[in-house]
Amino acid sequence: MIVFQLSCGNAHSFEGWFASSDDYADQQARGLLACPVCENAAVTKAPMAPAVPAKANRTSADGRAALANRSWPPEVREAVQALAMAQAKALERSEWVGDRFAEDVRSMHYGEIEEKQVHGRASRDDALALLKEGIAVAPLLIPVAPPEELN
């Protein structure tokens, strides 16, 4: 099995498991691929780092890959679609700041720069430090691909 990081035309990022690269190409050519969030069929492989296997004595609690290829019950699919649409609408008014996220929101909180809606990347430690400082931050519930990583 091979795992590809995929992205749809609406910039949703998700994983797909395939028997081989040829299997991915075949499914894409036959129109069998669709985003599990919005059902957009404009699915492409996203840039990704090579997989490095974990040590044999470690297991992963990450179940995202298993969810990507499962059929969701209609009510779950509708709820996720509604959430994705609401998040996309909110992000239209937000500026992508990338890895400057923690620095920028801290500067806004302390009045050093003008406040505006932003989204970006922050490590777990940075996010916890912001919360301890009383700065309200929250993770995006539906992953999005950074603009520079879109095809």
Side-chain angles (χ1 to χ4, degrees), residues 54-123:
K55 291 183 177 181
N57 63 350
R58 296 224 172 147
T59 59
S60 171
D62 185 356
R64 288 182 297 166
L67 289 175
N69 287 330
R70 285 217 171 110
S71 291
W72 292 352
E75 59 275 5
V76 173
R77 182 183 304 269
E78 290 171 15
V80 171
Q81 286 175 336
L83 180 61
M85 290 171 53
Q87 178 178 293
K89 187 171 179 129
L91 291 180
E92 287 175 3
R93 298 182 306 272
S94 180
E95 178 185 335
W96 172 260
V97 295
D99 293 331
R100 296 188 338 258
F101 179 77
E103 177 185 337
D104 282 7
V105 296
R106 186 173 280 118
S107 294
M108 284 184 247
H109 179 76
Y110 292 111
E112 298 166 0
I113 63 174
E114 183 180 338
E115 285 194 28
K116 60 184 173 185
Q117 287 208 290
V118 297
H119 62 287
R121 290 186 186 135
S123 70

Side-chain angles (χ1 to χ4, degrees), residues 2-84:
I2 187 168
V3 179
F4 289 130
Q5 188 66 31
L6 304 174
S7 181
C8 77
N10 290 324
H12 297 122
S13 181
F14 56 98
E15 291 179 345
W17 289 55
F18 302 90
S20 65
S21 291
D22 290 339
D23 183 38
Y24 162 80
D26 179 59
Q27 288 187 37
Q28 185 182 44
R30 293 176 28 210
L32 299 177
L33 302 179
C35 176
V37 176
C38 67
E39 298 183 7
N40 186 313
V43 174
T44 58
K45 283 195 266 184
M48 54 189 278
V52 178
K55 291 183 177 181
N57 63 350
R58 296 224 172 147
T59 59
S60 171
D62 185 356
R64 288 182 297 166
L67 289 175
N69 287 330
R70 285 217 171 110
S71 291
W72 292 352
E75 59 275 5
V76 173
R77 182 183 304 269
E78 290 171 15
V80 171
Q81 286 175 336
L83 180 61

Side-chain angles (χ1 to χ4, degrees), residues 129-147:
L130 291 168
L131 291 170
K132 285 181 183 177
E133 289 179 54
I135 302 170
V137 295
L140 293 175
L141 298 176
I142 307 293
V144 295

